[in-house]
Amino acid sequence: MNDTSISLLKQALPYLRHHRKSTMVVKLGGEIAANREALTSLAGDVSLLVHVGIRIVLVHGGGPQATEMQKRLGLEPVMVGGRRVTDEATLDVAKMIFAGKINTDILSALRGQGVSAVGLSGVDGDILHATKRPPTEVVDPATGERKVVDYGLVGDITRVDTSLVALLLEHKYVPVISSLASDADGNVLNVNADTVASALAKDLQASKLVILTGVPGLLRDKNDPSSLVTRITTEEAKAAMKSGSVAGGMLPKLKALVDAVEGGVGRGHILSGTQPGAILLELFTSAGCGTLIAEPHDVSEVSDGAPRQ
Ligand code: ADP
Ligand code: MG
C-alpha cells in the first residue's frame, strides 16, 4: 500500500463511522447493467459498503436493454420526457428484461463479490402499488410546446410498503428491485426506475439516494461532460428542470432526487456508474466526484473541502 492509499483510507474513516448502519438506496441505469466491467466494479463497491455495515437497496430499470429487445422483436420504442410509452408488447419486454435478465445479471455480479442479494420487483411482497397514468399534458421544456401523451401501461406510485425490504435488510441481504409495480386489480405497470428508487428511499427514510447513470452527474451543458454541477440545492434543481438545460432521462432523475430530499432523505447524488469506484469517491472523500443535491441550508454548508457525507 502506498502513501496515497493510506491517506485515502484515513480520509475515509470519519465517513465510514458516519455512515455505519445507515440505509442507502442506489439506483443504477441500464447502461451499467449492460457493461460487465462496470457491473463487476459496482458490485465490488457495494460489497465494501455492505461489509462496513451500510444497508444497501439496489433499484434498476434497463432502458437501453428494453430498447434493444424491442427493436429485435420489431417493435418501435417511443420515449416522451425520458419515460417509455408502454403498450402490451412493450410491457412483456419490460417484464422479461427488468425482472428477468437484468435482475439476474446484477444478482450474479453481487454474488461474485461476496454479497448475498435477493431479486425482487415492485410486484413482490406488496412493495409498489401504482395506478395507470391517465393521458397527461406534457410541456416540452426546450420548445414550450404542449401535447397530450398516453403513456399506456405506465404506473404512478400510490403506495409503498417496505416491510419485506426491511426484513431482508435486517437479515443482511441486499434487495435488488426492478421497476415494475401492480395496481389494485393485479395489472402490472411499468414505472420509471428513478421514481421507484425515490419512493423507496422516502419510505425507508434512507440517509441517501444515489443515482448512477451514464454521465458524470448533472451537467450545466448536457453536451459538455466537463460542465459538471458539483452541488445544487433542491430549489436550484427545480429551476434547472424548468430552464430547458435538463432534458430526457435526466428530468425524472432530478425530480426523484428533489422529491426524496424534500421527503426526508438526507442527501441525493448523481454519479457516473461507469467510473470505477465513483460511489466510494463520492461517499468517502471530501471532493466527491458527482452532483450532490441537498436542502438549501444543507448545501450551503458543503463548500469545497467540506464533507459530502
Ligand atoms: P438511465 O438509463 O441511467 O436512467 P437516462 O438515459 O434515462 O439514463 O438519463 C440520463 C441522460 O440524460 C444522459 O445520458 C443525458 O443524455 C441526458 N441529459 C439531459 N440533460 C442532461 C443534463 N443537463 N445533464 C446530464 N445529462 C443530461
Ligand atoms: Mg432513465
Side-chain angles (χ1 to χ4, degrees), residues 27 29-30 64 194 212-215 217-219 222 245-247 249-250 253:
K27 185 263 172 170
D194 301 314
L212 300 171
T213 186
V215 285
L218 174 68
L219 304 173
K222 54 183 171 276
S245 69
V246 183
M250 192 48 69
K253 284 186 213 316

Side-chain angles (χ1 to χ4, degrees), residues 13-14 31 33 38 53 56 69 76 84 88 105 108 115-116 119 139 164 166 168 176 204 237 264 270 276 282 306:
L13 189 61
E31 219 168 295
I56 300 287
M69 183 56 81
E76 188 56 45
R84 187 175 305 270
E88 289 278 358
D105 285 348
S108 64
V115 178
S116 290
V139 183
L164 175 60
L168 291 168
V176 179
L204 289 162
I270 310 173
E282 180 76 4

Side-chain angles (χ1 to χ4, degrees), residues 229-304:
V229 176
T230 56
R231 59 184 74 84
I232 189 170
T233 67
T234 44
E235 296 306 319
E236 288 163 348
K238 284 189 231 176
M241 281 189 271
K242 287 191 195 135
S243 73
S245 69
V246 183
M250 192 48 69
L251 281 169
K253 284 186 213 316
L254 272 193
K255 183 166 184 333
L257 289 161
V258 167
D259 283 354
V261 172
E262 289 186 343
V265 174
R267 286 174 172 182
H269 303 258
I270 310 173
L271 312 176
S272 162
T274 48
Q275 178 189 339
I279 191 162
L280 303 181
L281 272 177
E282 180 76 4
L283 295 183
F284 298 138
T285 68
S286 48
C289 65
T291 304
L292 166 78
I293 297 178
E295 296 274 23
H297 66 86
D298 185 19
V299 97
S300 60
E301 285 164 18
V302 189
S303 56
D304 275 327

